[in-house]
Amino acid sequence: MHAIALAPQSGAEGWMSALEATVDGRVVEVTATRSGRIDHVLVAEGDPVGKGVRLIELDHVASGSPPVRVAIRAPTSGRVLTRHLMPGEWASFGQPVLTLVEDDDVWVLARFGAADFERLRIGQSAVVGSGGRLLAAKVSALAPGDLTAVLDFVLRPVALRPGMITYALVIAS
């Protein structure tokens, strides 16, 4: 579904533009469960992963023992955002090795001017733009203290990452 079909005719009466908008989401840091040398990274950035899937194999060396292969598994299902270490690098116990976004669950935090914020209502349709694409969203929560609206996507976008800057328009109704 292209959000452009939802866009009203331009003009102050038809839509409210956010002053700033940022993608947010449930980010999970996957850490090394043992210290060792990274042997294999089994996923690439952007790959979807299921809970319990092997992400990284490392060689753990205990004093006086031969190396033991240790698998680091996904603590939740989601998508790989960042690989922090590559094969051959050393991982210390507790060090972040990958970052996941949980179940591709992302949303937009959009801050509005006071006059526009007063016109916002939960359930209003919105359009979020990022990377040359327009995505359909809905207002799902309002925070009057900082004039921020939470915009949830109608369909899960797979290319958006927490921290990305976007723009957002809410359709006046």
Side-chain angles (χ1 to χ4, degrees):
M1 172 179 184
H2 290 281
I4 193 73
L6 299 175
Q9 294 185 350
S10 61
E13 299 298 317
W15 49 269
M16 294 152 292
S17 180
L19 300 174
E20 60 185 358
T22 307
V23 177
D24 201 358
R26 289 189 184 99
V27 175
V28 177
E29 293 291 339
V30 179
T31 60
T33 54
R34 305 270 169 106
S35 295
R37 185 184 61 78
I38 302 291
D39 190 43
H40 291 91
V41 179
L42 305 170
V43 292
E45 290 181 1
D47 283 355
V49 296
K51 183 176 181 175
V53 168
R54 291 179 358 175
L55 303 171
I56 291 179
E57 293 177 346
L58 62 84
D59 291 328
H60 171 69
V61 179
S63 142
S65 301
V68 174
R69 176 81 32 98
V70 175
I72 299 174
R73 297 182 180 276
T76 185
S77 59
R79 185 170 35 94
V80 178
L81 290 178
T82 310
R83 296 185 335 179
H84 300 292
L85 297 174
M86 298 297 167
E89 294 182 315
W90 184 264
S92 298
F93 173 78
Q95 178 181 5
V97 293
L98 289 171
T99 303
L100 304 176
V101 61
E102 188 175 346
D103 284 325
D104 280 337
D105 191 9
V106 294
W107 56 87
V108 170
L109 298 177
R111 191 174 60 80
F112 291 84
D116 282 344
F117 188 83
E118 292 299 320
R119 296 170 53 202
L120 294 178
R121 301 289 176 261
I122 292 177
Q124 279 176 300
S125 295
V127 177
V128 173
S130 181
R133 296 183 331 164
L134 297 175
L135 304 164
K138 295 256 185 209
V139 176
S140 64
L142 297 169
D146 59 3
L147 305 177
T148 299
V150 176
L151 307 178
D152 279 329
F153 292 99
V154 173
L155 300 173
R156 279 189 184 172
V158 295
L160 297 183
R161 302 165 56 107
M164 289 178 76
I165 304 299
T166 64
Y167 62 89
L169 303 171
V170 174
I171 300 166
S173 51

